[in-house]
Amino acid sequence: MAKSLQDRVAVVTGASRGIGRAIALELARAGAHIVAVARTQGALEELDDEIKSAGSRATLVPVDLKDFPAIDRLGAAIHERWQRLDILVGNAGILGKLSPLGHIDPGTWDDVMAINVTANWRLIRALDPLLRLSDAGRAVFITSGASHRCFAYWGSYSTSKAALEALVKTYAAEVATTSIRTNLFSPGPTRTRMRAQAMPGEESSSLPPPEEVAAQAVELCNPAFTDNGAIYKYAPEGLLRFEGSVTARL
């Protein structure tokens, strides 16, 4: 029996650990060829072994997403090999430092914006032409409830995720008449290294593991999933939509 994403080509950023790794594996189990993007070569090689064990294949791209020209080269390489891209998962993100806004080092602020916002814009810029060559291009970007709650001391992270949501909703409006569908996925509190960094005293055993969250994120990558410009949230009972599609005019 053919798998639901058999032979589809999927780029996953931040694929070496946490939610990104879990999404890459879930896509691989569904039959996709994974273009795994992360900074750590060793962790990518471990992921490659697991993808092979799942019966799929991977192309490893060890790169720092602050190297923006490398993102352009990635687009060119995908076009040369496959002439299309079916799935983009913009998962890579960093927390930065929890601090009063006036105390944040400018370099830390710039790093958070570079990874959480600008790198995703560069991915759209480089990969949109390839998504348009797919029969059902799907782009999913990982956001956070912090974009709306705006907790004290979370300024750089909250601002970056709010900007990401504006970016993706704008992109959704621009591709509304194409076969591309793009949405945001908010995993909520999850048992990851970033969560432990943000909440060091929290009892992590009560949180869902990345694998559980990833299964719902992958639903948005399916060609049969046709919503556009929405935010979806992980929920134990199933994927929860809490933001409408982009249909209103300015």
Side-chain angles (χ1 to χ4, degrees):
M1 181 180 294
K3 297 179 179 180
S4 61
L5 298 176
Q6 189 69 45
D7 298 326
R8 299 190 80 76
V9 181
V11 167
V12 182
T13 68
S16 64
R17 66 183 187 219
I19 293 172
R21 178 186 180 87
I23 289 175
L25 286 169
E26 192 74 16
L27 289 167
R29 294 186 190 103
H33 182 109
I34 307 302
V35 181
V37 181
R39 289 178 298 175
T40 310
Q41 177 75 36
L44 283 174
E45 290 173 355
E46 292 174 5
L47 173 66
D48 186 36
D49 290 340
E50 290 196 48
I51 287 174
K52 288 176 181 175
S53 297
S56 193
R57 295 169 297 163
T59 298
L60 307 183
V61 184
V63 68
D64 186 336
L65 287 175
K66 289 188 292 183
D67 181 356
F68 300 138
I71 296 176
D72 294 338
R73 294 193 296 271
L74 173 63
I78 292 171
H79 183 269
E80 181 177 354
R81 182 168 177 182
W82 290 287
Q83 295 80 52
R84 76 181 199 283
L85 178 65
D86 301 300
I87 298 165
L88 166 61
V89 179
N91 164 79
I94 59 174
L95 178 65
K97 184 177 180 180
L98 302 185
S99 173
L101 285 167
H103 296 178
I104 297 173
D105 178 78
T108 299
W109 179 275
D110 290 345
D111 285 346
V112 172
M113 297 303 157
I115 296 296
N116 296 2
V117 186
T118 307
N120 284 303
W121 165 63
R122 294 296 295 247
L123 285 163
I124 290 171
R125 181 176 181 270
L127 302 180
D128 169 71
L130 296 167
L131 288 166
R132 290 174 185 265
L133 294 173
S134 172
D135 61 336
R138 297 291 178 266
V140 179
F141 296 85
I142 306 304
T143 187
S144 167
S147 64
H148 303 277
R149 296 190 182 98
C150 300
F151 298 118
Y153 314 125
W154 286 64
S156 58
Y157 185 75
S158 294
T159 301
S160 72
K161 289 301 184 179
L164 174 65
E165 291 184 7
L167 173 72
V168 174
K169 289 182 180 182
T170 300
Y171 182 47
E174 293 175 356
V175 300
T177 59
T178 75
S179 61
I180 298 174
R181 293 294 174 263
T182 183
N183 293 286
L184 292 135
F185 179 76
S186 180
T190 308
R191 202 182 307 160
T192 62
R193 184 183 299 184
M194 182 186 289
R195 180 72 183 185
Q197 179 187 354
M199 303 288 189
E202 185 176 57
E203 178 51 63
S204 63
S205 63
S206 64
L207 303 177
E211 295 75 16
E212 186 176 319
V213 170
Q216 291 187 15
V218 167
E219 292 181 35
L220 280 65
C221 301
N222 197 295
F225 193 92
T226 57
D227 208 352
N228 187 45
I231 303 175
Y232 280 84
K233 186 179 186 305
Y234 165 81
E237 64 275 12
L239 198 60
L240 177 66
R241 172 178 168 155
F242 66 95
E243 194 76 15
S245 294
V246 175
T247 56
R249 295 182 179 178
L250 294 177

